[in-house]
Structures are given as structure tokens and as C-alpha cells.
Amino acid sequence: MLEMTREEFEELVAEALDRIPPELTRLMDNVAVFVEDEPPADDPDLLGLYEGTPLTERGEWYAGVLPDRITVYRGPTLRMCDTREDVVAETEVTVVHEIAHHFGIDDARLHALGYG
């Protein structure tokens, strides 16, 4: 398995977030991004997870709720990648994939766009 500290991985996630176009990040609302070492035991290969209410499903009822949560998992990413460059690329795909869920884009559409 490729070695990378949690701090190094968190920096890659931050860099991936920085590459999201500003016109999109301005539209993101009430969402927080986290890095965890491992996903839930029932899905050990999960690279990222979006939990919350997509922007497309929010209505006038949406107020006073906790932020949506995007989690990127370090362990499975490092286990599937052979090089640091692979980790950089996979992290970026994962971050974009989870942000797309925040915007209401489903997995089928993401796979069609190459963000599977």
C-alpha cells in the first residue's frame, strides 16, 4: 500500500477543492468536507460519501439544519493507487463526484461523465 500521512492526504483534498471553479464553489451552500481514514465497515472500498440534502431538493422548509457532509476516505484511496500521482487524480475525481451529489447529480450521470 502506498504510504501517505493523513496531513498529506488532507492537503490533496484541499488542493482538489481549490481546483473547483469559483463560480461553482460560490453556489455551494451549507456543506462541510472531512477526511477520515476508513469508511464504514459495510463498505470498505468506499472512496467518498455525500450525506445531506442536495441543492436541487431544498425548499422553503430548509432552514436551521446541520451542514451537508462530504467525507473522503484515505485508506481505500491509498490501497487502490500505485503512485502519488494516482492518489492526486483519484482524490480529485472523488471530490468532484461528492460535490456533484451536493448539486443533485446522481451516480449514473457521474459515471457517464467519467466521474465514476
Side-chain angles (χ1 to χ4, degrees), residues 1 7 10 13 20 25-26 41 57 61 63-64 67 69 75 77 81-82 86 90 93 100 104-105 111:
M1 182 171 97
E7 291 76 23
E10 287 173 349
V13 171
I20 302 295
T25 57
R26 281 194 293 276
E57 296 177 17
W61 58 268
R69 181 180 178 102
T77 304
C81 294
D82 294 322
D86 291 343
E90 191 57 53
V93 167
I105 301 171
H111 286 275

Side-chain angles (χ1 to χ4, degrees), residues 3-64:
E3 294 293 322
M4 181 178 289
T5 67
R6 184 176 176 132
E7 291 76 23
E8 290 173 303
F9 190 78
E10 287 173 349
E11 183 60 32
L12 292 182
V13 171
E15 290 170 4
L17 287 166
D18 288 344
R19 286 190 288 278
I20 302 295
E23 55 270 16
L24 289 181
T25 57
R26 281 194 293 276
L27 298 174
M28 293 173 65
D29 182 47
N30 200 31
V31 61
V33 179
F34 299 90
V35 170
E36 297 289 340
D37 289 330
E38 294 296 334
D42 63 338
D43 199 354
D45 297 325
L46 187 65
L47 302 178
L49 180 65
Y50 170 76
E51 299 169 286
T53 304
L55 295 174
T56 54
E57 296 177 17
R58 295 179 185 179
E60 58 188 52
W61 58 268
Y62 187 85

Side-chain angles (χ1 to χ4, degrees), residues 96-101 105-116:
V96 169
H97 182 107
E98 302 311 328
I99 288 173
H101 286 318
I105 301 171
D106 66 15
D107 279 330
R109 181 68 178 135
L110 286 167
H111 286 275
L113 293 170
Y115 290 97

